[in-house]
Amino acid sequence: MTFLDNSEIVIEFKVELVKQFYHMKQLLLEKQTTLWQNTRIESKANRLKETDEIKALITYAKENGSKNAEKYYITFSKLANKAVGLDSNQRSTATTNQLNNLILIENMISHVIKEGLGRQDHYKEIYKSCKERIEQFKCIAYLEEIA
Protein backbone atom coordinates (compact mmCIF):
# COMPACT_ATOMS: atom_id res chain seq x y z
CA MET A 1 0.00 0.00 0.00
CA THR A 2 1.40 3.38 -0.97
CA PHE A 3 1.18 6.71 0.76
CA LEU A 4 -1.38 7.80 -1.85
CA ASP A 5 -3.60 4.83 -1.03
CA ASN A 6 -3.47 5.68 2.69
CA SER A 7 -4.32 9.33 2.10
CA GLU A 8 -7.35 8.35 -0.01
CA ILE A 9 -8.55 6.12 2.80
CA VAL A 10 -8.12 8.94 5.31
CA ILE A 11 -10.01 11.37 3.07
CA GLU A 12 -12.87 8.89 2.60
CA PHE A 13 -12.98 8.35 6.35
CA LYS A 14 -13.11 12.09 7.06
CA VAL A 15 -15.87 12.65 4.49
CA GLU A 16 -17.93 9.86 6.03
CA LEU A 17 -17.29 11.20 9.53
CA VAL A 18 -18.54 14.66 8.54
CA LYS A 19 -21.64 13.14 6.90
CA GLN A 20 -22.42 11.15 10.04
CA PHE A 21 -21.89 14.21 12.23
CA TYR A 22 -24.35 16.31 10.23
CA HIS A 23 -26.84 13.46 10.10
CA MET A 24 -26.72 13.14 13.90
CA LYS A 25 -27.04 16.89 14.33
CA GLN A 26 -30.10 16.93 12.06
CA LEU A 27 -31.64 14.03 13.97
CA LEU A 28 -31.08 15.69 17.34
CA LEU A 29 -32.74 18.87 16.09
CA GLU A 30 -35.65 16.91 14.62
CA LYS A 31 -36.22 14.98 17.86
CA GLN A 32 -36.84 18.28 19.64
CA THR A 33 -39.82 19.12 17.42
CA THR A 34 -43.40 18.55 18.50
CA LEU A 35 -44.04 16.70 15.24
CA TRP A 36 -41.36 14.09 15.99
CA GLN A 37 -42.46 13.69 19.61
CA ASN A 38 -46.13 13.25 18.66
CA THR A 39 -45.23 10.82 15.89
CA ARG A 40 -43.12 8.79 18.32
CA ILE A 41 -46.05 8.59 20.76
CA GLU A 42 -48.36 7.44 17.95
CA SER A 43 -45.73 4.91 16.85
CA LYS A 44 -45.57 3.42 20.35
CA ALA A 45 -49.37 3.14 20.59
CA ASN A 46 -49.54 1.51 17.18
CA ARG A 47 -46.78 -0.93 18.14
CA LEU A 48 -48.83 -2.05 21.15
CA LYS A 49 -51.77 -2.89 18.86
CA GLU A 50 -49.44 -4.82 16.59
CA THR A 51 -47.95 -6.81 19.47
CA ASP A 52 -51.47 -7.74 20.62
CA GLU A 53 -52.11 -9.29 17.20
CA ILE A 54 -48.72 -11.00 17.23
CA LYS A 55 -49.56 -12.45 20.64
CA ALA A 56 -52.77 -13.90 19.19
CA LEU A 57 -50.77 -15.32 16.26
CA ILE A 58 -48.28 -16.92 18.64
CA THR A 59 -51.07 -18.67 20.52
CA TYR A 60 -52.64 -19.81 17.25
CA ALA A 61 -49.31 -20.99 15.82
CA LYS A 62 -48.49 -22.99 18.97
CA GLU A 63 -51.91 -24.64 18.81
CA ASN A 64 -51.12 -25.60 15.22
CA GLY A 65 -47.72 -27.14 15.87
CA SER A 66 -45.23 -24.27 15.67
CA LYS A 67 -42.15 -24.80 17.79
CA ASN A 68 -40.73 -21.30 17.17
CA ALA A 69 -43.82 -19.15 17.59
CA GLU A 70 -42.23 -17.03 20.34
CA LYS A 71 -39.84 -15.62 17.72
CA TYR A 72 -42.67 -13.82 15.93
CA TYR A 73 -42.16 -10.64 17.95
CA ILE A 74 -38.57 -10.38 16.74
CA THR A 75 -39.39 -11.60 13.24
CA PHE A 76 -42.11 -9.04 12.59
CA SER A 77 -40.07 -6.26 14.19
CA LYS A 78 -37.16 -7.03 11.88
CA LEU A 79 -39.46 -7.02 8.85
CA ALA A 80 -40.87 -3.59 9.70
CA ASN A 81 -37.58 -2.05 10.77
CA LYS A 82 -35.69 -3.31 7.74
CA ALA A 83 -38.33 -1.88 5.41
CA VAL A 84 -37.69 1.63 6.74
CA GLY A 85 -33.92 1.27 7.03
CA LEU A 86 -33.55 0.67 10.75
CA ASP A 87 -31.66 -1.97 12.69
CA SER A 88 -33.05 -3.36 15.93
CA ASN A 89 -33.24 -0.92 18.85
CA GLN A 90 -33.03 2.12 16.59
CA ARG A 91 -36.58 3.43 16.96
CA SER A 92 -35.45 6.20 19.23
CA THR A 93 -33.14 7.43 16.46
CA ALA A 94 -35.71 7.10 13.67
CA THR A 95 -36.69 10.15 11.67
CA THR A 96 -40.28 11.37 11.55
CA ASN A 97 -40.56 9.90 8.07
CA GLN A 98 -39.28 6.50 9.24
CA LEU A 99 -41.69 6.56 12.20
CA ASN A 100 -44.62 7.37 9.91
CA ASN A 101 -43.68 4.49 7.63
CA LEU A 102 -43.33 2.18 10.64
CA ILE A 103 -46.82 3.15 11.74
CA LEU A 104 -48.19 2.21 8.33
CA ILE A 105 -46.25 -1.05 8.12
CA GLU A 106 -47.10 -2.16 11.65
CA ASN A 107 -50.75 -1.30 11.06
CA MET A 108 -50.58 -3.43 7.92
CA ILE A 109 -49.03 -6.32 9.86
CA SER A 110 -51.78 -6.07 12.51
CA HIS A 111 -54.53 -6.21 9.92
CA VAL A 112 -52.99 -9.03 7.90
CA ILE A 113 -52.56 -11.13 11.04
CA LYS A 114 -56.11 -10.40 12.21
CA GLU A 115 -57.57 -11.23 8.80
CA GLY A 116 -55.48 -14.40 8.51
CA LEU A 117 -56.53 -15.59 11.94
CA GLY A 118 -60.15 -14.84 11.07
CA ARG A 119 -59.87 -17.04 7.98
CA GLN A 120 -57.86 -19.61 9.97
CA ASP A 121 -54.99 -19.44 7.47
CA HIS A 122 -51.90 -21.46 8.30
CA TYR A 123 -49.58 -19.41 10.50
CA LYS A 124 -46.79 -19.63 7.94
CA GLU A 125 -49.13 -18.24 5.27
CA ILE A 126 -49.99 -15.33 7.55
CA TYR A 127 -46.30 -14.49 7.90
CA LYS A 128 -45.81 -14.87 4.15
CA SER A 129 -48.73 -12.51 3.48
CA CYS A 130 -47.26 -9.92 5.84
CA LYS A 131 -43.90 -10.14 4.13
CA GLU A 132 -45.47 -9.80 0.66
CA ARG A 133 -47.53 -6.78 1.72
CA ILE A 134 -44.47 -5.07 3.16
CA GLU A 135 -42.57 -5.65 -0.08
CA GLN A 136 -45.50 -4.16 -2.03
CA PHE A 137 -45.56 -1.18 0.32
CA LYS A 138 -41.83 -0.63 -0.12
CA CYS A 139 -42.30 -0.52 -3.89
CA ILE A 140 -45.30 1.79 -3.71
CA ALA A 141 -43.66 4.14 -1.19
CA TYR A 142 -40.26 4.05 -2.94
CA LEU A 143 -38.51 2.93 0.23
CA GLU A 144 -34.93 1.82 -0.21
CA GLU A 145 -33.12 -0.59 2.03
CA ILE A 146 -30.05 0.83 3.70
CA ALA A 147 -27.16 -1.59 3.47
Side-chain angles (χ1 to χ4, degrees):
M1 189 177 284
T2 67
F3 177 74
L4 186 58
D5 292 337
N6 285 335
S7 65
E8 288 175 8
I9 292 171
V10 170
I11 290 170
E12 288 176 19
F13 174 78
K14 287 181 179 181
V15 168
E16 184 61 28
L17 185 64
V18 170
K19 283 181 187 177
Q20 292 296 324
F21 173 79
Y22 282 110
H23 174 72
M24 188 55 70
K25 179 181 175 186
Q26 181 182 12
L27 180 61
L28 290 172
L29 291 173
E30 182 180 11
K31 285 178 73 170
Q32 295 174 14
T33 66
T34 304
L35 175 63
W36 187 91
Q37 293 167 4
N38 289 340
T39 305
R40 181 71 171 124
I41 290 167
E42 184 180 349
S43 173
K44 287 179 179 182
N46 192 66
R47 174 70 173 153
L48 289 175
K49 291 176 189 174
E50 180 201 27
T51 57
D52 287 346
E53 293 302 330
I54 294 171
K55 183 178 180 180
L57 177 61
I58 289 171
T59 301
Y60 176 75
K62 283 181 178 178
E63 290 169 356
N64 287 280
S66 174
K67 296 186 181 0
N68 297 310
E70 293 294 334
K71 294 181 180 178
Y72 274 138
Y73 290 114
I74 293 169
T75 303
F76 284 106
S77 293
K78 284 182 180 180
L79 276 178
N81 289 341
K82 184 178 177 186
V84 300
L86 295 174
D87 289 328
S88 61
N89 299 322
Q90 284 191 318
R91 282 177 185 254
S92 62
T93 63
T95 64
T96 303
N97 189 41
Q98 287 173 316
L99 289 173
N100 281 321
N101 284 323
L102 271 174
I103 290 168
L104 293 171
I105 290 169
E106 291 172 347
N107 188 48
M108 189 183 326
I109 290 169
S110 296
H111 282 86
V112 171
I113 291 172
K114 189 173 190 171
E115 291 168 359
L117 290 174
R119 290 189 304 267
Q120 295 186 335
D121 292 348
H122 192 272
Y123 59 90
K124 290 182 180 180
E125 285 302 314
I126 295 171
Y127 169 77
K128 185 178 174 184
S129 294
C130 286
K131 191 171 181 178
E132 288 171 358
R133 293 273 181 102
I134 291 169
E135 289 301 318
Q136 291 170 351
F137 176 78
K138 284 171 51 179
C139 288
I140 292 167
Y142 294 98
L143 299 179
E144 295 180 6
E145 289 184 35
I146 297 174

Tab-separated table of all heavy atoms in Angstrom, residues 31-67:
chain	number	residue	atom	x	y	z
A	31	LYS	N	-35.617	15.612	16.687
A	31	LYS	CA	-36.225	14.978	17.861
A	31	LYS	C	-36.776	15.998	18.860
A	31	LYS	O	-37.593	15.653	19.697
A	31	LYS	CB	-35.209	14.072	18.549
A	31	LYS	CG	-34.959	12.785	17.806
A	31	LYS	CD	-33.909	11.934	18.478
A	31	LYS	CE	-34.427	11.322	19.730
A	31	LYS	NZ	-33.537	10.310	20.312
A	32	GLN	N	-36.351	17.235	18.744
A	32	GLN	CA	-36.845	18.279	19.645
A	32	GLN	C	-38.162	18.876	19.161
A	32	GLN	O	-38.801	19.628	19.893
A	32	GLN	CB	-35.793	19.375	19.801
A	32	GLN	CG	-34.538	18.876	20.495
A	32	GLN	CD	-33.438	19.917	20.531
A	32	GLN	OE1	-33.654	21.088	20.285
A	32	GLN	NE2	-32.228	19.480	20.849
A	33	THR	N	-38.591	18.534	17.956
A	33	THR	CA	-39.822	19.115	17.424
A	33	THR	C	-41.046	18.398	17.984
A	33	THR	O	-41.000	17.214	18.317
A	33	THR	CB	-39.857	19.035	15.882
A	33	THR	OG1	-39.935	17.656	15.488
A	33	THR	CG2	-38.651	19.714	15.255
A	34	THR	N	-42.134	19.124	18.050
A	34	THR	CA	-43.399	18.554	18.502
A	34	THR	C	-43.867	17.478	17.536
A	34	THR	O	-44.407	16.456	17.961
A	34	THR	CB	-44.472	19.664	18.615
A	34	THR	OG1	-43.976	20.686	19.479
A	34	THR	CG2	-45.779	19.130	19.150
A	35	LEU	N	-43.646	17.683	16.252
A	35	LEU	CA	-44.042	16.701	15.245
A	35	LEU	C	-43.378	15.348	15.514
A	35	LEU	O	-44.044	14.312	15.533
A	35	LEU	CB	-43.688	17.196	13.834
A	35	LEU	CG	-43.955	16.199	12.701
A	35	LEU	CD1	-45.443	15.877	12.604
A	35	LEU	CD2	-43.429	16.753	11.381
A	36	TRP	N	-42.065	15.344	15.747
A	36	TRP	CA	-41.356	14.086	15.992
A	36	TRP	C	-41.873	13.442	17.275
A	36	TRP	O	-42.140	12.232	17.310
A	36	TRP	CB	-39.837	14.294	16.099
A	36	TRP	CG	-39.098	12.991	16.193
A	36	TRP	CD1	-38.605	12.259	15.162
A	36	TRP	CD2	-38.799	12.249	17.386
A	36	TRP	NE1	-38.012	11.106	15.636
A	36	TRP	CE2	-38.113	11.073	17.002
A	36	TRP	CE3	-39.038	12.458	18.736
A	36	TRP	CZ2	-37.676	10.125	17.912
A	36	TRP	CZ3	-38.594	11.502	19.647
A	36	TRP	CH2	-37.923	10.354	19.231
A	37	GLN	N	-42.025	14.231	18.323
A	37	GLN	CA	-42.463	13.688	19.611
A	37	GLN	C	-43.868	13.088	19.519
A	37	GLN	O	-44.126	12.004	20.053
A	37	GLN	CB	-42.378	14.766	20.685
A	37	GLN	CG	-40.943	15.175	20.968
A	37	GLN	CD	-40.811	16.439	21.789
A	37	GLN	OE1	-41.793	17.019	22.231
A	37	GLN	NE2	-39.573	16.886	21.986
A	38	ASN	N	-44.778	13.776	18.826
A	38	ASN	CA	-46.135	13.246	18.660
A	38	ASN	C	-46.140	11.987	17.792
A	38	ASN	O	-46.886	11.040	18.063
A	38	ASN	CB	-47.056	14.305	18.068
A	38	ASN	CG	-47.361	15.411	19.048
A	38	ASN	OD1	-47.219	15.261	20.257
A	38	ASN	ND2	-47.778	16.553	18.535
A	39	THR	N	-45.321	11.993	16.768
A	39	THR	CA	-45.231	10.819	15.891
A	39	THR	C	-44.671	9.631	16.661
A	39	THR	O	-45.128	8.498	16.489
A	39	THR	CB	-44.359	11.128	14.655
A	39	THR	OG1	-44.884	12.282	13.992
A	39	THR	CG2	-44.336	9.959	13.678
A	40	ARG	N	-43.707	9.865	17.503
A	40	ARG	CA	-43.116	8.795	18.321
A	40	ARG	C	-44.168	8.207	19.259
A	40	ARG	O	-44.254	6.990	19.429
A	40	ARG	CB	-41.920	9.326	19.116
A	40	ARG	CG	-41.230	8.300	19.978
A	40	ARG	CD	-40.457	7.276	19.165
A	40	ARG	NE	-39.653	6.461	20.056
A	40	ARG	CZ	-39.712	5.146	20.121
A	40	ARG	NH1	-40.491	4.470	19.317
A	40	ARG	NH2	-38.965	4.486	20.973
A	41	ILE	N	-44.982	9.055	19.869
A	41	ILE	CA	-46.055	8.589	20.758
A	41	ILE	C	-47.049	7.731	19.974
A	41	ILE	O	-47.445	6.655	20.423
A	41	ILE	CB	-46.761	9.782	21.444
A	41	ILE	CG1	-45.813	10.426	22.461
A	41	ILE	CG2	-48.058	9.338	22.111
A	41	ILE	CD1	-46.277	11.790	22.965
A	42	GLU	N	-47.431	8.203	18.797
A	42	GLU	CA	-48.356	7.440	17.952
A	42	GLU	C	-47.736	6.108	17.536
A	42	GLU	O	-48.406	5.077	17.508
A	42	GLU	CB	-48.727	8.251	16.710
A	42	GLU	CG	-49.760	7.571	15.839
A	42	GLU	CD	-50.127	8.379	14.612
A	42	GLU	OE1	-49.740	9.559	14.516
A	42	GLU	OE2	-50.796	7.807	13.736
A	43	SER	N	-46.444	6.126	17.242
A	43	SER	CA	-45.733	4.910	16.852
A	43	SER	C	-45.760	3.880	17.978
A	43	SER	O	-45.975	2.690	17.745
A	43	SER	CB	-44.289	5.257	16.476
A	43	SER	OG	-43.523	4.109	16.258
A	44	LYS	N	-45.552	4.337	19.202
A	44	LYS	CA	-45.571	3.420	20.348
A	44	LYS	C	-46.959	2.816	20.550
A	44	LYS	O	-47.088	1.615	20.810
A	44	LYS	CB	-45.139	4.154	21.620
A	44	LYS	CG	-43.663	4.458	21.676
A	44	LYS	CD	-43.312	5.203	22.955
A	44	LYS	CE	-41.830	5.504	23.046
A	44	LYS	NZ	-41.469	6.177	24.300
A	45	ALA	N	-47.999	3.636	20.424
A	45	ALA	CA	-49.372	3.140	20.590
A	45	ALA	C	-49.707	2.125	19.500
A	45	ALA	O	-50.328	1.083	19.771
A	45	ALA	CB	-50.358	4.310	20.558
A	46	ASN	N	-49.294	2.420	18.286
A	46	ASN	CA	-49.544	1.507	17.179
A	46	ASN	C	-48.793	0.196	17.370
A	46	ASN	O	-49.305	-0.875	17.065
A	46	ASN	CB	-49.136	2.174	15.862
A	46	ASN	CG	-49.631	1.421	14.666
A	46	ASN	OD1	-50.829	1.336	14.436
A	46	ASN	ND2	-48.714	0.877	13.898
A	47	ARG	N	-47.592	0.274	17.892
A	47	ARG	CA	-46.782	-0.927	18.138
A	47	ARG	C	-47.471	-1.837	19.154
A	47	ARG	O	-47.445	-3.063	19.016
A	47	ARG	CB	-45.382	-0.522	18.631
A	47	ARG	CG	-44.503	-1.657	19.055
A	47	ARG	CD	-44.037	-2.508	17.910
A	47	ARG	NE	-43.067	-3.482	18.407
A	47	ARG	CZ	-42.843	-4.636	17.866
A	47	ARG	NH1	-43.465	-4.974	16.767
A	47	ARG	NH2	-41.979	-5.464	18.378
A	48	LEU	N	-48.106	-1.250	20.161
A	48	LEU	CA	-48.831	-2.054	21.148
A	48	LEU	C	-49.982	-2.830	20.503
A	48	LEU	O	-50.214	-3.999	20.827
A	48	LEU	CB	-49.360	-1.173	22.285
A	48	LEU	CG	-48.304	-0.627	23.236
A	48	LEU	CD1	-48.943	0.338	24.235
A	48	LEU	CD2	-47.576	-1.751	23.962
A	49	LYS	N	-50.690	-2.192	19.568
A	49	LYS	CA	-51.766	-2.886	18.857
A	49	LYS	C	-51.200	-4.042	18.041
A	49	LYS	O	-51.779	-5.128	17.992
A	49	LYS	CB	-52.505	-1.918	17.935
A	49	LYS	CG	-53.318	-0.879	18.657
A	49	LYS	CD	-53.937	0.097	17.674
A	49	LYS	CE	-54.576	1.261	18.390
A	49	LYS	NZ	-55.054	2.286	17.454
A	50	GLU	N	-50.068	-3.779	17.392
A	50	GLU	CA	-49.440	-4.823	16.594
A	50	GLU	C	-49.018	-5.995	17.469
A	50	GLU	O	-49.243	-7.162	17.110
A	50	GLU	CB	-48.231	-4.265	15.846
A	50	GLU	CG	-47.530	-5.317	14.999
A	50	GLU	CD	-46.094	-4.961	14.665
A	50	GLU	OE1	-45.456	-4.211	15.431
A	50	GLU	OE2	-45.606	-5.464	13.648
A	51	THR	N	-48.409	-5.717	18.612
A	51	THR	CA	-47.947	-6.813	19.474
A	51	THR	C	-49.114	-7.626	20.034
A	51	THR	O	-48.972	-8.825	20.270
A	51	THR	CB	-47.035	-6.316	20.620
A	51	THR	OG1	-47.711	-5.335	21.389
A	51	THR	CG2	-45.731	-5.764	20.078
A	52	ASP	N	-50.280	-6.987	20.211
A	52	ASP	CA	-51.469	-7.740	20.624
A	52	ASP	C	-51.846	-8.771	19.558
A	52	ASP	O	-52.190	-9.915	19.874
A	52	ASP	CB	-52.651	-6.803	20.888
A	52	ASP	CG	-52.508	-6.011	22.169
A	52	ASP	OD1	-51.650	-6.352	23.008
A	52	ASP	OD2	-53.262	-5.020	22.332
A	53	GLU	N	-51.793	-8.359	18.300
A	53	GLU	CA	-52.112	-9.285	17.203
A	53	GLU	C	-51.045	-10.374	17.084
A	53	GLU	O	-51.364	-11.532	16.820
A	53	GLU	CB	-52.260	-8.535	15.878
A	53	GLU	CG	-53.453	-7.602	15.816
A	53	GLU	CD	-54.791	-8.283	16.049
A	53	GLU	OE1	-54.943	-9.479	15.726
A	53	GLU	OE2	-55.706	-7.608	16.566
A	54	ILE	N	-49.790	-10.003	17.277
A	54	ILE	CA	-48.717	-10.999	17.228
A	54	ILE	C	-48.900	-12.015	18.352
A	54	ILE	O	-48.706	-13.216	18.148
A	54	ILE	CB	-47.325	-10.332	17.296
A	54	ILE	CG1	-47.073	-9.497	16.030
A	54	ILE	CG2	-46.226	-11.382	17.469
A	54	ILE	CD1	-45.827	-8.625	16.093
A	55	LYS	N	-49.313	-11.543	19.511
A	55	LYS	CA	-49.561	-12.448	20.642
A	55	LYS	C	-50.644	-13.467	20.274
A	55	LYS	O	-50.501	-14.665	20.562
A	55	LYS	CB	-49.986	-11.644	21.875
A	55	LYS	CG	-50.201	-12.477	23.113
A	55	LYS	CD	-50.561	-11.594	24.300
A	55	LYS	CE	-50.787	-12.433	25.535
A	55	LYS	NZ	-51.135	-11.605	26.698
A	56	ALA	N	-51.703	-12.992	19.619
A	56	ALA	CA	-52.770	-13.904	19.190
A	56	ALA	C	-52.242	-14.901	18.153
A	56	ALA	O	-52.592	-16.092	18.182
A	56	ALA	CB	-53.938	-13.112	18.609
A	57	LEU	N	-51.368	-14.428	17.258
A	57	LEU	CA	-50.772	-15.316	16.259
A	57	LEU	C	-49.887	-16.367	16.922
A	57	LEU	O	-49.879	-17.538	16.513
A	57	LEU	CB	-49.970	-14.507	15.236
A	57	LEU	CG	-49.230	-15.315	14.172
A	57	LEU	CD1	-50.194	-16.141	13.324
A	57	LEU	CD2	-48.401	-14.389	13.293
A	58	ILE	N	-49.154	-15.978	17.929
A	58	ILE	CA	-48.280	-16.921	18.643
A	58	ILE	C	-49.113	-18.046	19.258
A	58	ILE	O	-48.784	-19.228	19.122
A	58	ILE	CB	-47.440	-16.188	19.714
A	58	ILE	CG1	-46.373	-15.331	19.044
A	58	ILE	CG2	-46.815	-17.179	20.697
A	58	ILE	CD1	-45.635	-14.393	19.984
A	59	THR	N	-50.188	-17.670	19.915
A	59	THR	CA	-51.067	-18.675	20.519
A	59	THR	C	-51.616	-19.612	19.444
A	59	THR	O	-51.579	-20.843	19.591
A	59	THR	CB	-52.233	-17.995	21.267
A	59	THR	OG1	-51.694	-17.137	22.280
A	59	THR	CG2	-53.178	-19.008	21.894
A	60	TYR	N	-52.085	-19.036	18.366
A	60	TYR	CA	-52.639	-19.807	17.251
A	60	TYR	C	-51.577	-20.730	16.645
A	60	TYR	O	-51.839	-21.907	16.378
A	60	TYR	CB	-53.183	-18.834	16.206
A	60	TYR	CG	-53.708	-19.455	14.947
A	60	TYR	CD1	-54.943	-20.119	14.923
A	60	TYR	CD2	-52.991	-19.367	13.761
A	60	TYR	CE1	-55.434	-20.674	13.758
A	60	TYR	CE2	-53.472	-19.915	12.587
A	60	TYR	CZ	-54.693	-20.571	12.589
A	60	TYR	OH	-55.179	-21.114	11.425
A	61	ALA	N	-50.376	-20.201	16.429
A	61	ALA	CA	-49.305	-20.993	15.824
A	61	ALA	C	-48.909	-22.163	16.729
A	61	ALA	O	-48.690	-23.277	16.250
A	61	ALA	CB	-48.101	-20.102	15.528
A	62	LYS	N	-48.826	-21.908	18.027
A	62	LYS	CA	-48.490	-22.989	18.966
A	62	LYS	C	-49.553	-24.085	18.932
A	62	LYS	O	-49.234	-25.269	18.963
A	62	LYS	CB	-48.356	-22.436	20.383
A	62	LYS	CG	-47.068	-21.698	20.641
A	62	LYS	CD	-47.031	-21.208	22.075
A	62	LYS	CE	-45.741	-20.498	22.412
A	62	LYS	NZ	-45.744	-19.997	23.797
A	63	GLU	N	-50.815	-23.667	18.873
A	63	GLU	CA	-51.911	-24.638	18.814
A	63	GLU	C	-51.853	-25.467	17.538
A	63	GLU	O	-52.398	-26.566	17.484
A	63	GLU	CB	-53.263	-23.925	18.891
A	63	GLU	CG	-53.560	-23.322	20.237
A	63	GLU	CD	-54.781	-22.405	20.226
A	63	GLU	OE1	-55.368	-22.172	19.131
A	63	GLU	OE2	-55.146	-21.911	21.304
A	64	ASN	N	-51.199	-24.910	16.513
A	64	ASN	CA	-51.123	-25.598	15.222
A	64	ASN	C	-49.736	-26.170	14.944
A	64	ASN	O	-49.370	-26.393	13.794
A	64	ASN	CB	-51.560	-24.651	14.103
A	64	ASN	CG	-53.050	-24.437	14.129
A	64	ASN	OD1	-53.802	-25.261	13.647
A	64	ASN	ND2	-53.493	-23.337	14.723
A	65	GLY	N	-48.952	-26.396	15.998
A	65	GLY	CA	-47.723	-27.144	15.872
A	65	GLY	C	-46.430	-26.359	15.740
A	65	GLY	O	-45.367	-26.953	15.600
A	66	SER	N	-46.466	-25.040	15.787
A	66	SER	CA	-45.227	-24.272	15.666
A	66	SER	C	-44.367	-24.453	16.906
A	66	SER	O	-44.846	-24.380	18.031
A	66	SER	CB	-45.533	-22.788	15.476
A	66	SER	OG	-44.334	-22.035	15.492
A	67	LYS	N	-43.089	-24.666	16.681
A	67	LYS	CA	-42.147	-24.800	17.790
A	67	LYS	C	-41.349	-23.511	18.005
A	67	LYS	O	-40.625	-23.384	18.976
A	67	LYS	CB	-41.200	-25.966	17.525
A	67	LYS	CG	-41.919	-27.304	17.484
A	67	LYS	CD	-40.972	-28.449	17.356
A	67	LYS	CE	-41.584	-29.811	17.274
A	67	LYS	NZ	-42.966	-30.005	17.318
